[in-house]
Amino acid sequence: MTATIPFTPAVGDRAPSSSPLRLTLAPAGAPPALIDGAWWPRSRNLTEQLPALVECLDPLWGRITRIAVSRTFWPVIPGEVPAHGHMVRVGWSNAGQDPHELLLLSYTFGCWSLLVIPPETGPATAARLMATATDPSRSLPPSGLIRVAERFRAAAEAAADSDSLREAVWDSEGGHDAPRPASRTPDGPVTRHVPTAAAGV
Protein backbone atom coordinates (compact mmCIF):
# COMPACT_ATOMS: atom_id res chain seq x y z
CA MET A 1 0.00 0.00 0.00
CA THR A 2 1.38 3.42 -0.88
CA ALA A 3 0.52 6.88 0.29
CA THR A 4 0.11 9.33 -2.58
CA ILE A 5 0.13 12.90 -1.37
CA PRO A 6 -2.66 15.02 -2.95
CA PHE A 7 -0.93 18.24 -1.90
CA THR A 8 -1.52 21.60 -3.60
CA PRO A 9 0.93 24.22 -2.28
CA ALA A 10 -0.01 27.84 -1.74
CA VAL A 11 2.35 30.42 -3.22
CA GLY A 12 2.68 33.49 -1.01
CA ASP A 13 -0.64 35.29 -0.74
CA ARG A 14 -1.83 33.98 -4.09
CA ALA A 15 -4.36 31.23 -4.60
CA PRO A 16 -3.07 27.66 -4.43
CA SER A 17 -1.37 26.33 -7.54
CA SER A 18 -3.52 24.37 -9.96
CA SER A 19 -0.69 21.80 -10.22
CA PRO A 20 -0.67 19.47 -7.21
CA LEU A 21 2.55 17.91 -6.00
CA ARG A 22 3.29 14.55 -7.61
CA LEU A 23 4.70 12.52 -4.74
CA THR A 24 4.21 9.05 -3.34
CA LEU A 25 5.70 7.75 -0.09
CA ALA A 26 6.12 4.32 1.42
CA PRO A 27 3.53 3.86 4.17
CA ALA A 28 4.55 4.22 7.80
CA GLY A 29 5.99 0.98 9.12
CA ALA A 30 7.13 -0.25 5.70
CA PRO A 31 10.32 -2.37 5.75
CA PRO A 32 13.56 -0.37 5.34
CA ALA A 33 14.58 0.06 1.70
CA LEU A 34 17.00 2.02 -0.46
CA ILE A 35 14.37 4.69 -1.14
CA ASP A 36 11.39 6.06 0.78
CA GLY A 37 9.23 7.11 -2.13
CA ALA A 38 9.17 8.87 -5.49
CA TRP A 39 8.82 12.47 -6.62
CA TRP A 40 7.84 13.49 -10.15
CA PRO A 41 8.72 17.20 -10.49
CA ARG A 42 7.09 19.27 -13.22
CA SER A 43 10.38 20.83 -14.38
CA ARG A 44 14.12 20.78 -13.73
CA ASN A 45 13.95 24.16 -11.97
CA LEU A 46 14.85 23.34 -8.35
CA THR A 47 14.11 26.86 -7.15
CA GLU A 48 10.51 26.44 -8.27
CA GLN A 49 10.04 22.76 -7.44
CA LEU A 50 11.68 22.24 -4.04
CA PRO A 51 9.62 24.62 -1.84
CA ALA A 52 6.37 22.71 -2.44
CA LEU A 53 8.10 19.39 -1.76
CA VAL A 54 9.53 20.61 1.54
CA GLU A 55 6.23 22.22 2.54
CA CYS A 56 4.54 18.86 2.13
CA LEU A 57 7.23 16.78 3.87
CA ASP A 58 7.94 19.05 6.87
CA PRO A 59 4.81 17.95 8.77
CA LEU A 60 5.47 14.30 7.95
CA TRP A 61 9.21 13.97 8.48
CA GLY A 62 10.07 16.90 10.70
CA ARG A 63 11.66 20.13 9.52
CA ILE A 64 13.75 19.54 6.40
CA THR A 65 17.05 21.43 6.76
CA ARG A 66 19.21 20.16 3.89
CA ILE A 67 18.68 18.62 0.47
CA ALA A 68 21.31 16.86 -1.63
CA VAL A 69 20.93 16.30 -5.37
CA SER A 70 23.13 14.99 -8.15
CA ARG A 71 24.54 17.60 -10.49
CA THR A 72 23.89 15.20 -13.37
CA PHE A 73 20.12 15.68 -13.22
CA TRP A 74 19.75 19.40 -12.45
CA PRO A 75 21.17 22.14 -14.72
CA VAL A 76 21.06 24.85 -12.02
CA ILE A 77 21.33 24.14 -8.29
CA PRO A 78 20.53 26.99 -5.89
CA GLY A 79 22.46 27.26 -2.64
CA GLU A 80 19.22 27.39 -0.68
CA VAL A 81 15.48 27.69 -1.18
CA PRO A 82 12.74 29.21 1.01
CA ALA A 83 10.22 26.67 2.20
CA HIS A 84 7.56 26.53 4.91
CA GLY A 85 8.83 29.62 6.74
CA HIS A 86 12.52 28.66 6.79
CA MET A 87 15.48 28.30 4.45
CA VAL A 88 16.64 24.91 3.23
CA ARG A 89 20.23 24.46 2.12
CA VAL A 90 20.76 22.60 -1.16
CA GLY A 91 23.95 20.72 -1.91
CA TRP A 92 25.18 18.60 -4.80
CA SER A 93 27.88 16.14 -5.80
CA ASN A 94 29.37 14.95 -9.08
CA ALA A 95 29.98 11.43 -7.78
CA GLY A 96 28.76 9.16 -5.05
CA GLN A 97 25.08 10.01 -5.35
CA ASP A 98 22.66 8.31 -7.69
CA PRO A 99 21.66 10.85 -10.38
CA HIS A 100 17.98 9.96 -9.89
CA GLU A 101 18.07 10.30 -6.11
CA LEU A 102 17.17 13.23 -3.89
CA LEU A 103 18.29 13.12 -0.24
CA LEU A 104 16.49 15.10 2.44
CA LEU A 105 17.89 15.63 5.91
CA SER A 106 15.30 16.16 8.59
CA TYR A 107 15.80 18.26 11.70
CA THR A 108 14.38 15.49 13.88
CA PHE A 109 14.17 12.16 12.03
CA GLY A 110 17.39 11.78 10.04
CA CYS A 111 17.79 11.20 6.30
CA TRP A 112 15.22 10.26 3.65
CA SER A 113 15.70 9.28 0.02
CA LEU A 114 13.37 9.81 -2.94
CA LEU A 115 13.50 8.52 -6.49
CA VAL A 116 13.36 11.52 -8.83
CA ILE A 117 11.32 10.73 -11.93
CA PRO A 118 12.42 12.94 -14.86
CA PRO A 119 9.78 15.63 -15.58
CA GLU A 120 9.47 14.57 -19.23
CA THR A 121 8.52 11.00 -18.31
CA GLY A 122 5.18 9.86 -19.75
CA PRO A 123 2.28 9.46 -17.29
CA ALA A 124 2.04 5.67 -17.61
CA THR A 125 5.76 5.14 -16.99
CA ALA A 126 5.74 7.65 -14.12
CA ALA A 127 2.79 5.90 -12.49
CA ARG A 128 4.61 2.57 -12.79
CA LEU A 129 7.74 4.07 -11.23
CA MET A 130 5.81 5.64 -8.36
CA ALA A 131 4.15 2.32 -7.57
CA THR A 132 7.42 0.40 -7.79
CA ALA A 133 9.27 2.91 -5.62
CA THR A 134 6.92 2.21 -2.71
CA ASP A 135 6.42 -1.52 -3.21
CA PRO A 136 7.32 -3.44 -0.01
CA SER A 137 9.69 -5.68 -1.99
CA ARG A 138 11.59 -2.79 -3.60
CA SER A 139 15.32 -3.42 -3.65
CA LEU A 140 16.74 -1.51 -6.64
CA PRO A 141 18.45 1.88 -6.37
CA PRO A 142 16.80 4.85 -8.13
CA SER A 143 18.72 4.52 -11.41
CA GLY A 144 18.00 0.78 -11.44
CA LEU A 145 14.27 1.51 -11.26
CA ILE A 146 14.58 4.03 -14.11
CA ARG A 147 16.43 1.48 -16.29
CA VAL A 148 13.81 -1.22 -15.67
CA ALA A 149 10.98 1.21 -16.50
CA GLU A 150 12.77 2.29 -19.69
CA ARG A 151 13.21 -1.32 -20.82
CA PHE A 152 9.54 -2.00 -20.14
CA ARG A 153 8.52 1.08 -22.14
CA ALA A 154 10.81 0.19 -25.04
CA ALA A 155 9.50 -3.40 -25.14
CA ALA A 156 5.89 -2.20 -25.14
CA GLU A 157 6.61 0.26 -27.96
CA ALA A 158 8.36 -2.45 -29.97
CA ALA A 159 5.35 -4.75 -29.53
CA ALA A 160 3.01 -1.96 -30.65
CA ASP A 161 5.22 -1.24 -33.70
CA SER A 162 5.27 -4.93 -34.58
CA ASP A 163 1.46 -5.12 -34.44
CA SER A 164 1.21 -1.98 -36.58
CA LEU A 165 3.60 -3.46 -39.15
CA ARG A 166 1.61 -6.70 -39.37
CA GLU A 167 -1.59 -4.70 -39.82
CA ALA A 168 0.01 -2.58 -42.56
CA VAL A 169 1.22 -5.67 -44.44
CA TRP A 170 -2.22 -7.25 -44.16
CA ASP A 171 -3.84 -4.03 -45.48
CA SER A 172 -1.36 -3.82 -48.37
CA GLU A 173 -2.32 -7.32 -49.42
CA GLY A 174 -6.00 -6.43 -49.56
CA GLY A 175 -6.80 -7.70 -46.11
CA HIS A 176 -9.56 -5.18 -45.38
CA ASP A 177 -11.25 -5.84 -48.70
CA ALA A 178 -11.23 -9.62 -48.40
CA PRO A 179 -13.05 -11.69 -45.81
CA ARG A 180 -10.74 -13.36 -43.36
CA PRO A 181 -10.62 -17.14 -43.44
CA ALA A 182 -12.68 -18.84 -40.80
CA SER A 183 -11.13 -21.49 -38.61
CA ARG A 184 -12.63 -24.07 -36.35
CA THR A 185 -11.63 -24.64 -32.79
CA PRO A 186 -11.43 -28.25 -31.52
CA ASP A 187 -14.98 -27.88 -30.13
CA GLY A 188 -16.36 -26.98 -33.52
CA PRO A 189 -17.60 -23.34 -33.44
CA VAL A 190 -16.44 -21.05 -36.23
CA THR A 191 -14.15 -18.16 -35.20
CA ARG A 192 -12.58 -15.33 -37.16
CA HIS A 193 -9.07 -13.98 -36.58
CA VAL A 194 -9.29 -10.36 -35.45
CA PRO A 195 -6.08 -8.39 -34.80
CA THR A 196 -5.81 -7.00 -31.31
CA ALA A 197 -4.26 -3.63 -30.53
CA ALA A 198 -1.19 -3.67 -28.32
CA ALA A 199 -1.71 -2.48 -24.79
CA GLY A 200 -0.64 1.11 -24.24
CA VAL A 201 2.24 2.01 -21.93
Side-chain angles (χ1 to χ4, degrees):
M1 171 121 185
T2 61
T4 301
I5 312 299
F7 180 78
T8 302
V11 181
D13 295 327
R14 291 178 291 169
S17 168
S18 60
S19 301
L21 189 67
R22 301 184 297 193
L23 172 70
T24 186
L25 304 174
L34 295 175
I35 54 176
D36 301 293
W39 176 48
W40 185 20
R42 296 179 183 278
S43 77
R44 293 179 185 267
N45 186 327
L46 280 176
T47 303
E48 291 180 352
Q49 299 297 304
L50 284 179
L53 179 65
V54 173
E55 186 176 344
C56 177
L57 294 178
D58 265 3
L60 301 173
W61 291 350
R63 174 183 271 198
I64 304 299
T65 57
R66 292 181 63 89
I67 294 175
V69 299
S70 169
R71 197 160 185 84
T72 305
F73 190 83
W74 306 100
V76 176
I77 300 174
E80 59 182 13
V81 293
H84 212 231
H86 63 96
M87 299 301 291
V88 179
R89 296 185 62 187
V90 183
W92 57 271
S93 65
N94 283 324
Q97 183 173 340
D98 190 305
H100 292 283
E101 179 181 40
L102 184 137
L103 295 172
L104 303 104
L105 281 74
S106 166
Y107 183 72
T108 52
F109 291 109
C111 183
W112 303 83
S113 172
L114 294 177
L115 162 69
V116 178
I117 301 171
E120 62 275 10
T121 302
T125 299
R128 187 176 299 110
L129 280 165
M130 293 183 98
T132 305
T134 53
D135 187 284
S137 63
R138 63 199 184 280
S139 59
L140 289 175
S143 284
L145 293 174
I146 295 287
R147 284 192 296 272
V148 169
E150 178 58 27
R151 285 198 297 268
F152 186 94
R153 183 195 63 75
E157 286 184 356
D161 289 345
S162 176
D163 284 349
S164 296
L165 178 59
R166 283 195 295 269
E167 184 73 16
V169 169
W170 187 68
D171 286 347
S172 70
E173 295 174 352
H176 277 298
D177 296 328
R180 295 190 180 187
S183 64
R184 293 186 178 273
T185 64
D187 294 332
V190 175
T191 60
R192 291 188 180 275
H193 299 288
V194 179
T196 56
V201 178

